[in-house]
Coordinates of all heavy atoms in Angstrom, one line a residue:
M1 N 65.7 4.3 -67.1 CA 64.3 3.8 -67.0 C 63.5 4.9 -66.3 O 63.8 5.3 -65.2 CB 64.1 2.5 -66.4 CG 62.8 1.8 -66.5 SD 62.9 0.0 -66.1 CE 61.4 -0.3 -65.3
D2 N 62.4 5.3 -67.0 CA 61.5 6.3 -66.4 C 60.6 5.7 -65.3 O 60.2 4.5 -65.3 CB 60.6 6.9 -67.4 CG 61.4 7.7 -68.4 OD1 62.4 8.3 -68.1 OD2 61.0 7.9 -69.7
T3 N 60.4 6.5 -64.3 CA 59.4 6.1 -63.3 C 58.0 6.4 -63.8 O 57.7 7.4 -64.3 CB 59.7 6.9 -62.0 OG1 61.1 6.8 -61.7 CG2 58.8 6.6 -60.9
P4 N 57.2 5.4 -63.5 CA 55.7 5.6 -64.0 C 55.1 6.8 -63.1 O 55.5 7.0 -62.0 CB 55.0 4.3 -63.7 CG 56.0 3.6 -62.8 CD 57.3 4.1 -63.0
P5 N 54.2 7.5 -63.9 CA 53.6 8.6 -63.1 C 52.7 8.1 -61.9 O 52.2 7.0 -62.0 CB 52.6 9.3 -64.2 CG 52.4 8.2 -65.2 CD 53.7 7.3 -65.2
T6 N 52.6 8.9 -60.8 CA 51.8 8.6 -59.8 C 50.4 9.2 -60.0 O 50.2 10.3 -60.5 CB 52.3 9.2 -58.5 OG1 53.6 8.8 -58.3 CG2 51.5 9.0 -57.3
I7 N 49.4 8.4 -59.9 CA 48.0 8.7 -60.0 C 47.3 9.0 -58.7 O 47.4 8.2 -58.0 CB 47.2 7.7 -60.9 CG1 47.8 7.5 -62.2 CG2 45.7 8.0 -61.0 CD1 47.2 6.3 -63.1
H8 N 46.8 10.2 -58.6 CA 46.1 10.6 -57.4 C 44.7 10.8 -57.6 O 44.3 11.3 -58.7 CB 46.6 12.0 -56.8 CG 48.1 12.0 -56.5 ND1 48.6 11.5 -55.3 CD2 49.2 12.3 -57.1 CE1 49.8 11.5 -55.3 NE2 50.2 12.0 -56.3
T9 N 43.8 10.3 -56.7 CA 42.4 10.4 -56.9 C 41.9 11.2 -55.9 O 42.2 11.1 -54.7 CB 41.8 9.0 -56.8 OG1 42.3 8.2 -57.7 CG2 40.3 9.1 -57.0
V10 N 41.2 12.2 -56.2 CA 40.4 13.2 -55.3 C 39.0 12.8 -55.2 O 38.3 12.7 -56.2 CB 40.6 14.6 -55.8 CG1 39.8 15.5 -54.8 CG2 42.0 15.0 -55.9
I11 N 38.5 12.4 -54.0 CA 37.2 12.1 -53.7 C 36.5 13.3 -53.1 O 36.9 13.7 -52.0 CB 37.2 10.8 -52.8 CG1 37.8 9.7 -53.5 CG2 35.6 10.6 -52.4 CD1 37.9 8.5 -52.7
T12 N 35.3 13.7 -53.7 CA 34.6 14.8 -53.0 C 33.4 14.1 -52.5 O 32.6 13.5 -53.1 CB 34.2 15.7 -54.1 OG1 35.4 16.4 -54.7 CG2 33.4 17.0 -53.5
I13 N 33.2 14.3 -51.1 CA 32.1 13.7 -50.4 C 31.0 14.7 -50.5 O 31.1 15.8 -50.0 CB 32.4 13.3 -49.0 CG1 33.6 12.3 -49.0 CG2 31.3 12.7 -48.2 CD1 34.2 12.0 -47.7
P14 N 29.8 14.2 -51.0 CA 28.6 15.2 -51.0 C 28.3 15.6 -49.6 O 28.3 14.8 -48.7 CB 27.5 14.4 -51.6 CG 28.2 13.2 -52.3 CD 29.6 12.9 -51.6
E15 N 28.0 16.9 -49.5 CA 27.6 17.5 -48.2 C 26.5 16.7 -47.5 O 26.5 16.4 -46.4 CB 27.2 18.9 -48.3 CG 26.9 19.6 -47.0 CD 28.3 19.8 -46.1 OE1 29.2 19.8 -46.7 OE2 28.1 20.0 -45.0
T16 N 25.5 16.3 -48.4 CA 24.3 15.6 -47.7 C 24.8 14.2 -47.2 O 24.1 13.9 -46.2 CB 23.3 15.3 -48.8 OG1 23.9 14.7 -50.0 CG2 22.7 16.6 -49.4
V17 N 25.7 13.6 -47.7 CA 26.2 12.4 -47.1 C 26.8 12.6 -45.7 O 26.5 11.8 -44.8 CB 27.2 11.7 -47.9 CG1 27.9 10.4 -47.4 CG2 26.6 11.2 -49.3
L18 N 27.4 13.7 -45.5 CA 28.1 14.0 -44.2 C 27.1 14.6 -43.1 O 27.2 14.3 -42.0 CB 29.2 15.0 -44.3 CG 30.3 14.5 -45.2 CD1 31.3 15.6 -45.4 CD2 31.0 13.3 -44.7
T19 N 26.1 15.2 -43.6 CA 25.1 15.9 -42.7 C 23.7 15.3 -42.5 O 23.2 15.4 -41.5 CB 24.9 17.3 -43.2 OG1 24.3 17.3 -44.4 CG2 26.1 18.2 -43.2
A20 N 23.3 14.5 -43.5 CA 21.9 13.9 -43.3 C 22.0 12.8 -42.3 O 23.0 11.9 -42.2 CB 21.5 13.3 -44.7
P21 N 21.0 12.7 -41.5 CA 21.0 11.6 -40.5 C 20.9 10.3 -41.2 O 20.4 10.1 -42.3 CB 19.6 11.8 -39.7 CG 18.8 12.8 -40.6 CD 19.8 13.5 -41.4
W22 N 21.5 9.2 -40.6 CA 21.4 7.9 -41.2 C 20.1 7.4 -41.0 O 19.3 7.7 -40.1 CB 22.4 7.0 -40.5 CG 23.8 7.4 -40.8 CD1 24.3 8.5 -41.5 CD2 25.0 6.6 -40.4 NE1 25.6 8.4 -41.5 CE2 26.2 7.3 -41.0 CE3 25.1 5.4 -39.7 CZ2 27.4 6.7 -40.7 CZ3 26.4 5.0 -39.6 CH2 27.5 5.6 -40.1
P23 N 19.6 6.6 -42.0 CA 18.4 5.9 -41.9 C 18.3 5.0 -40.6 O 19.3 4.5 -40.1 CB 18.2 5.1 -43.1 CG 19.1 5.7 -44.1 CD 20.3 6.2 -43.3
A24 N 17.1 4.8 -40.2 CA 16.9 3.9 -38.9 C 17.5 2.6 -39.2 O 17.3 2.0 -40.2 CB 15.4 3.7 -38.6
G25 N 18.2 2.1 -38.2 CA 18.8 0.8 -38.2 C 20.2 0.7 -38.9 O 20.8 -0.4 -38.8
V26 N 20.6 1.8 -39.6 CA 21.9 1.7 -40.3 C 23.0 1.9 -39.1 O 23.0 2.9 -38.4 CB 22.0 2.8 -41.4 CG1 23.5 2.9 -41.9 CG2 21.1 2.4 -42.5
V27 N 24.0 1.0 -39.1 CA 25.0 1.0 -38.2 C 26.5 1.3 -38.7 O 27.4 1.4 -38.1 CB 25.1 -0.2 -37.3 CG1 23.8 -0.3 -36.5 CG2 25.3 -1.5 -38.2
G28 N 26.5 1.4 -40.1 CA 27.7 1.7 -40.8 C 27.4 2.0 -42.3 O 26.4 1.7 -42.8
R29 N 28.3 2.8 -42.8 CA 28.0 3.3 -44.3 C 29.5 3.4 -45.0 O 30.5 3.7 -44.4 CB 27.5 4.7 -44.3 CG 26.1 4.8 -43.8 CD 25.6 6.1 -44.1 NE 24.4 5.8 -45.0 CZ 23.6 6.8 -45.4 NH1 23.7 8.0 -45.1 NH2 22.4 6.4 -46.1
Y30 N 29.3 3.0 -46.2 CA 30.5 3.2 -47.2 C 30.0 4.1 -48.3 O 28.9 3.9 -48.8 CB 31.0 1.8 -47.8 CG 31.5 1.0 -46.7 CD1 30.7 0.0 -46.0 CD2 32.8 1.0 -46.2 CE1 31.2 -0.8 -45.0 CE2 33.4 0.2 -45.3 CZ 32.5 -0.6 -44.6 OH 33.0 -1.6 -43.7
L31 N 30.8 5.1 -48.7 CA 30.5 5.9 -49.8 C 30.9 5.4 -51.2 O 32.1 5.0 -51.3 CB 31.2 7.3 -49.6 CG 30.9 8.3 -50.7 CD1 29.3 8.8 -50.7 CD2 31.7 9.5 -50.4
A32 N 30.0 5.1 -52.0 CA 30.2 4.5 -53.4 C 30.8 5.8 -54.3 O 30.6 6.8 -54.0 CB 29.1 3.8 -53.9
R33 N 31.3 5.3 -55.3 CA 32.0 6.2 -56.3 C 31.2 7.3 -56.8 O 31.7 8.4 -57.1 CB 32.6 5.4 -57.4 CG 33.7 4.5 -56.9 CD 34.3 3.7 -58.0 NE 35.1 4.5 -58.9 CZ 35.4 4.2 -60.1 NH1 35.4 2.9 -60.5 NH2 36.2 4.9 -60.9
A34 N 29.8 7.0 -57.0 CA 29.0 8.1 -57.7 C 28.1 8.7 -56.7 O 27.1 9.3 -57.1 CB 28.2 7.4 -58.8
G35 N 28.3 8.7 -55.4 CA 27.5 9.2 -54.4 C 26.4 8.4 -53.7 O 25.8 8.8 -52.7
A36 N 26.3 7.2 -54.1 CA 25.4 6.3 -53.3 C 26.1 5.8 -52.0 O 27.2 6.1 -52.0 CB 25.0 5.1 -54.3
T37 N 25.3 5.3 -51.2 CA 26.0 4.7 -50.0 C 25.6 3.2 -50.0 O 24.6 2.7 -50.4 CB 25.5 5.4 -48.7 OG1 24.1 5.3 -48.7 CG2 25.9 6.8 -48.7
V38 N 26.6 2.4 -49.4 CA 26.3 1.0 -49.1 C 26.2 1.0 -47.5 O 27.0 1.3 -46.8 CB 27.5 0.1 -49.5 CG1 27.2 -1.3 -49.2 CG2 27.8 0.4 -51.0
D39 N 24.9 0.7 -47.1 CA 24.5 0.8 -45.8 C 24.6 -0.6 -45.1 O 24.1 -1.6 -45.6 CB 23.1 1.3 -45.7 CG 23.0 2.7 -46.2 OD1 24.1 3.4 -46.2 OD2 21.9 3.2 -46.4
I40 N 25.0 -0.6 -43.9 CA 25.2 -1.8 -43.0 C 24.1 -1.7 -42.0 O 24.0 -0.7 -41.3 CB 26.5 -1.9 -42.3 CG1 27.7 -1.9 -43.4 CG2 26.6 -3.3 -41.5 CD1 27.8 -3.0 -44.3
R41 N 23.1 -2.7 -41.9 CA 22.2 -2.8 -40.9 C 22.4 -4.0 -40.0 O 22.8 -5.1 -40.5 CB 20.8 -2.9 -41.5 CG 20.4 -1.7 -42.2 CD 19.0 -1.8 -42.8 NE 18.4 -0.5 -43.1 CZ 18.7 0.3 -44.2 NH1 19.7 -0.2 -45.0 NH2 18.2 1.5 -44.3
S42 N 22.4 -3.8 -38.7 CA 22.5 -4.8 -37.7 C 21.4 -5.9 -37.8 O 20.3 -5.5 -38.3 CB 22.5 -4.1 -36.4 OG 22.7 -5.2 -35.4
N43 N 21.8 -7.0 -37.6 CA 20.9 -8.2 -37.5 C 21.0 -8.9 -36.2 O 21.8 -8.5 -35.4 CB 21.1 -9.0 -38.7 CG 19.9 -9.8 -39.2 OD1 18.9 -10.1 -38.4 ND2 19.8 -10.3 -40.4
L44 N 20.3 -9.9 -36.1 CA 20.6 -10.8 -34.8 C 21.9 -11.4 -34.8 O 22.5 -11.7 -35.8 CB 19.5 -11.8 -34.8 CG 18.1 -11.2 -34.6 CD1 17.1 -12.4 -34.6 CD2 17.9 -10.6 -33.3
G45 N 22.5 -11.5 -33.6 CA 23.8 -12.1 -33.5 C 24.9 -11.3 -34.2 O 24.9 -10.1 -34.1
N46 N 25.9 -12.0 -34.8 CA 26.9 -11.3 -35.4 C 26.8 -11.0 -36.9 O 27.7 -10.9 -37.6 CB 28.3 -11.9 -35.0 CG 28.4 -13.3 -35.6 OD1 27.4 -13.8 -36.1 ND2 29.6 -13.8 -35.7
H47 N 25.6 -11.3 -37.4 CA 25.2 -11.2 -38.8 C 24.7 -9.8 -39.1 O 24.1 -9.1 -38.2 CB 24.2 -12.2 -39.3 CG 24.8 -13.6 -39.4 ND1 25.3 -14.3 -38.5 CD2 25.0 -14.2 -40.6 CE1 25.7 -15.4 -38.9 NE2 25.6 -15.4 -40.2
V48 N 25.0 -9.2 -40.2 CA 24.6 -7.9 -40.7 C 24.1 -8.1 -42.1 O 24.4 -9.0 -42.8 CB 25.7 -6.8 -40.6 CG1 26.0 -6.6 -39.1 CG2 27.0 -7.1 -41.4
Y49 N 23.4 -7.0 -42.5 CA 22.7 -7.0 -43.8 C 23.3 -5.7 -44.5 O 23.3 -4.7 -43.9 CB 21.2 -6.9 -43.7 CG 20.5 -6.8 -45.1 CD1 20.2 -7.9 -45.9 CD2 20.0 -5.6 -45.5 CE1 19.7 -7.7 -47.1 CE2 19.3 -5.4 -46.7 CZ 19.1 -6.5 -47.4 OH 18.5 -6.3 -48.6
A50 N 23.7 -5.8 -45.7 CA 24.2 -4.7 -46.5 C 23.5 -4.4 -47.6 O 23.1 -5.4 -48.4 CB 25.8 -4.9 -46.9
S51 N 23.2 -3.2 -48.0 CA 22.5 -2.9 -49.3 C 23.0 -1.5 -49.9 O 23.4 -0.6 -49.0 CB 21.0 -2.7 -49.1 OG 20.7 -1.8 -48.2
C52 N 23.0 -1.5 -51.2 CA 23.4 -0.3 -51.8 C 22.3 0.6 -52.2 O 21.3 0.1 -52.8 CB 24.3 -0.6 -53.1 SG 25.0 0.8 -54.0
T53 N 22.4 1.9 -52.1 CA 21.3 2.8 -52.5 C 21.4 3.2 -53.9 O 20.6 3.9 -54.5 CB 21.4 4.1 -51.6 OG1 22.7 4.8 -51.8 CG2 21.1 3.8 -50.2
G54 N 22.6 2.7 -54.6 CA 22.7 3.2 -56.0 C 22.4 2.0 -57.0 O 22.3 2.3 -58.2
C55 N 22.3 0.8 -56.5 CA 21.8 -0.4 -57.3 C 21.2 -1.4 -56.5 O 20.9 -1.1 -55.3 CB 23.1 -1.0 -58.1 SG 24.3 -1.8 -56.9
D56 N 21.0 -2.5 -57.0 CA 20.2 -3.6 -56.3 C 21.1 -4.6 -55.5 O 20.7 -5.7 -55.1 CB 19.2 -4.3 -57.1 CG 19.9 -5.0 -58.3 OD1 21.1 -4.9 -58.4 OD2 19.2 -5.7 -59.0
W57 N 22.4 -4.2 -55.4 CA 23.3 -5.1 -54.6 C 23.0 -5.2 -53.1 O 22.7 -4.3 -52.5 CB 24.8 -4.5 -54.8 CG 25.8 -5.4 -54.1 CD1 26.4 -6.5 -54.7 CD2 26.3 -5.3 -52.7 NE1 27.3 -7.0 -53.6 CE2 27.2 -6.4 -52.5 CE3 25.9 -4.5 -51.6 CZ2 27.9 -6.5 -51.4 CZ3 26.6 -4.7 -50.5 CH2 27.5 -5.7 -50.4
T58 N 23.0 -6.4 -52.8 CA 22.8 -6.7 -51.2 C 23.7 -7.9 -50.8 O 24.2 -8.7 -51.6 CB 21.4 -7.1 -50.9 OG1 21.1 -8.4 -51.5 CG2 20.4 -6.0 -51.3
D59 N 23.9 -7.9 -49.6 CA 24.6 -9.1 -48.9 C 24.2 -9.2 -47.5 O 23.8 -8.3 -46.9 CB 26.2 -8.8 -49.0 CG 26.9 -10.0 -48.6 OD1 27.0 -10.9 -49.5 OD2 27.6 -10.1 -47.5
H60 N 24.3 -10.5 -47.0 CA 24.0 -10.9 -45.8 C 24.8 -11.9 -45.2 O 24.8 -13.1 -45.8 CB 22.5 -11.3 -45.7 CG 22.0 -11.7 -44.3 ND1 21.6 -13.0 -43.9 CD2 22.0 -11.0 -43.1 CE1 21.3 -13.0 -42.6 NE2 21.5 -11.8 -42.1
N61 N 25.5 -11.6 -44.1 CA 26.6 -12.7 -43.7 C 27.1 -12.3 -42.4 O 26.6 -11.3 -41.8 CB 27.7 -12.8 -44.8 CG 28.4 -14.1 -44.8 OD1 28.5 -14.8 -43.7 ND2 28.8 -14.7 -45.9
V62 N 28.1 -12.9 -42.0 CA 28.8 -12.6 -40.7 C 29.3 -11.1 -40.9 O 29.8 -10.7 -42.0 CB 29.9 -13.6 -40.5 CG1 30.7 -13.1 -39.2 CG2 29.5 -15.0 -40.2
D63 N 29.3 -10.3 -39.9 CA 29.7 -8.9 -39.9 C 30.8 -8.7 -40.6 O 30.9 -7.9 -41.5 CB 29.8 -8.4 -38.5 CG 30.0 -6.9 -38.3 OD1 30.6 -6.4 -39.1 OD2 29.3 -6.4 -37.4
Y64 N 32.1 -9.3 -40.4 CA 33.3 -9.0 -41.0 C 33.3 -9.2 -42.4 O 33.6 -8.4 -43.2 CB 34.5 -9.8 -40.4 CG 35.8 -9.8 -41.1 CD1 36.6 -8.7 -41.0 CD2 36.1 -10.7 -42.0 CE1 37.7 -8.6 -41.6 CE2 37.3 -10.6 -42.7 CZ 38.2 -9.5 -42.5 OH 39.2 -9.4 -43.2
Y65 N 32.7 -10.3 -43.0 CA 32.7 -10.5 -44.4 C 31.7 -9.6 -45.1 O 32.1 -9.2 -46.2 CB 32.3 -12.0 -44.6 CG 33.3 -13.0 -44.1 CD1 33.0 -13.7 -43.0 CD2 34.6 -13.0 -44.6 CE1 34.0 -14.6 -42.5 CE2 35.5 -13.9 -44.2 CZ 35.3 -14.6 -43.1 OH 36.3 -15.5 -42.6
T66 N 30.6 -9.3 -44.4 CA 29.6 -8.4 -45.2 C 30.3 -6.9 -45.2 O 30.2 -6.3 -46.3 CB 28.3 -8.4 -44.4 OG1 27.8 -9.7 -44.5 CG2 27.4 -7.3 -45.0
R67 N 30.9 -6.5 -44.2 CA 31.5 -5.2 -44.2 C 32.6 -5.2 -45.3 O 32.8 -4.2 -46.0 CB 32.1 -4.8 -42.8 CG 31.0 -4.4 -41.9 CD 31.5 -4.1 -40.6 NE 30.5 -3.9 -39.6 CZ 30.0 -2.7 -39.3 NH1 30.4 -1.7 -39.8 NH2 29.0 -2.6 -38.3
Q68 N 33.4 -6.2 -45.5 CA 34.5 -6.3 -46.5 C 33.8 -6.3 -47.9 O 34.4 -5.5 -48.7 CB 35.2 -7.6 -46.2 CG 36.5 -7.7 -47.0 CD 37.3 -9.0 -46.8 OE1 36.8 -10.0 -46.3 NE2 38.6 -8.8 -46.9
K69 N 32.8 -7.0 -48.1 CA 32.1 -7.0 -49.4 C 31.5 -5.6 -49.7 O 31.5 -5.2 -50.7 CB 31.1 -8.2 -49.4 CG 31.6 -9.5 -49.5 CD 30.5 -10.5 -49.6 CE 31.0 -11.9 -49.7 NZ 29.9 -12.9 -49.8
A70 N 30.9 -5.0 -48.7 CA 30.3 -3.7 -48.8 C 31.3 -2.7 -49.2 O 31.1 -1.9 -50.1 CB 29.6 -3.3 -47.5
Q71 N 32.4 -2.8 -48.6 CA 33.5 -1.7 -49.0 C 34.0 -2.0 -50.5 O 34.2 -1.1 -51.1 CB 34.6 -1.9 -47.9 CG 35.8 -0.9 -48.3 CD 36.8 -0.7 -47.4 OE1 36.7 -1.3 -46.1 NE2 37.9 0.0 -47.7
E72 N 34.1 -3.2 -50.7 CA 34.6 -3.6 -52.2 C 33.5 -3.2 -53.2 O 33.8 -2.6 -54.2 CB 34.8 -5.1 -52.2 CG 36.1 -5.7 -51.5 CD 36.2 -7.1 -51.5 OE1 35.3 -7.8 -51.9 OE2 37.1 -7.6 -50.7
H73 N 32.2 -3.4 -52.8 CA 31.2 -2.9 -53.7 C 31.2 -1.4 -53.8 O 31.1 -0.9 -54.9 CB 29.9 -3.4 -53.3 CG 28.8 -2.9 -54.1 ND1 28.4 -3.5 -55.3 CD2 27.9 -1.8 -54.0 CE1 27.5 -2.9 -56.0 NE2 27.1 -1.8 -55.2
A74 N 31.4 -0.7 -52.8 CA 31.4 0.8 -52.7 C 32.5 1.3 -53.7 O 32.4 2.3 -54.3 CB 31.5 1.4 -51.3
E75 N 33.6 0.6 -53.6 CA 34.8 1.0 -54.4 C 34.5 1.0 -55.9 O 35.2 1.5 -56.7 CB 36.0 0.3 -54.0 CG 36.5 0.6 -52.6 CD 37.6 -0.3 -52.1 OE1 37.9 -1.4 -52.8 OE2 38.1 -0.1 -50.9
R76 N 33.6 0.0 -56.3 CA 33.4 -0.2 -57.7 C 32.0 0.4 -58.3 O 32.0 0.7 -59.5 CB 33.3 -1.7 -58.0 CG 34.6 -2.5 -57.8 CD 34.5 -4.0 -58.3 NE 33.2 -4.5 -57.8 CZ 33.0 -5.2 -56.8 NH1 33.9 -5.5 -55.9 NH2 31.9 -5.8 -56.4
C77 N 31.1 0.6 -57.4 CA 29.7 0.9 -57.8 C 29.6 2.3 -58.4 O 30.0 3.2 -57.7 CB 28.8 0.8 -56.7 SG 27.0 1.1 -57.1
L78 N 29.0 2.4 -59.6 CA 28.9 3.8 -60.2 C 27.4 4.1 -60.1 O 26.9 5.0 -60.7 CB 29.4 3.8 -61.6 CG 30.9 3.6 -61.8 CD1 31.3 3.4 -63.2 CD2 31.7 4.7 -61.0
G79 N 26.5 3.4 -59.4 CA 25.2 3.6 -59.3 C 24.9 5.0 -58.7 O 25.6 5.5 -57.7
I80 N 23.9 5.7 -59.1 CA 23.5 7.0 -58.4 C 22.2 6.8 -57.7 O 21.3 6.2 -58.1 CB 23.2 8.0 -59.6 CG1 24.6 8.3 -60.4 CG2 22.7 9.4 -59.0 CD1 24.4 9.1 -61.6
P81 N 22.3 7.3 -56.5 CA 21.0 7.1 -55.7 C 19.8 7.7 -56.2 O 19.9 8.8 -56.9 CB 21.4 7.6 -54.3 CG 22.5 8.7 -54.5 CD 23.2 8.1 -55.7
L82 N 18.7 7.3 -55.9 CA 17.3 7.9 -56.3 C 17.2 9.2 -55.6 O 17.7 9.3 -54.5 CB 16.2 6.9 -55.9 CG 16.0 5.7 -56.8 CD1 14.9 4.8 -56.2 CD2 15.6 6.1 -58.2
P83 N 16.7 10.1 -56.2 CA 16.5 11.5 -55.5 C 15.6 11.2 -54.4 O 14.7 10.4 -54.4 CB 15.8 12.4 -56.6 CG 16.0 11.6 -57.9 CD 16.3 10.3 -57.7
A84 N 15.8 12.1 -53.4 CA 14.8 12.0 -52.2 C 13.5 12.4 -52.6 O 13.3 13.3 -53.4 CB 15.4 12.9 -51.1
T85 N 12.4 11.7 -52.0 CA 11.0 12.2 -52.3 C 10.5 12.8 -51.0 O 10.9 12.4 -49.9 CB 10.2 11.0 -52.8 OG1 10.3 10.0 -51.7 CG2 10.7 10.3 -54.0
S86 N 9.5 13.6 -51.3 CA 8.9 14.2 -50.0 C 7.5 13.7 -49.7 O 7.0 12.9 -50.3 CB 8.8 15.7 -50.2 OG 8.1 16.0 -51.4
Ligands
LIG101 ZN1 25.8 -0.4 -55.9

């Protein structure tokens, strides 16, 4: 019986994601598949707000659950962020 091939995924992180300052209030980020970010913003208490820069996905819940949903969204989202405006 043949062993199934191993699939490797190479993720290239855009330089701007690594070097650009985070927007005000953002306390965590997940990189989505097409270069958008899913940003976590602190809220009162242990709740946080998450939003994606590549689509209109948002979530607001207890920190742990929102971060888990944000990471899951980032792993699937193919949205491309809007170009920066000056
Ligand atoms: Zn998205």
Side-chain angles (χ1 to χ4, degrees):
M1 187 164 150
D2 293 333
T3 303
T6 302
I7 299 172
H8 298 278
T9 301
V10 176
I11 299 173
T12 302
I13 301 173
E15 184 71 20
T16 53
V17 171
L18 297 174
T19 59
W22 289 7
V26 172
V27 297
R29 294 191 119 175
Y30 296 91
L31 179 62
R33 296 178 65 190
T37 57
V38 180
D39 296 340
I40 307 291
R41 288 181 164 76
S42 180
N43 203 341
L44 295 175
N46 64 346
H47 283 65
V48 294
Y49 176 80
S51 61
C52 179
T53 61
C55 69
D56 60 357
W57 181 88
T58 62
D59 190 72
H60 178 244
N61 205 322
V62 177
D63 189 318
Y64 171 79
Y65 294 111
T66 297
R67 288 178 186 266
Q68 189 173 29
K69 287 181 181 178
Q71 182 171 350
E72 291 170 1
H73 178 79
E75 291 171 355
R76 293 187 318 268
C77 182
L78 295 174
I80 298 172
L82 288 172
T85 57
S86 53

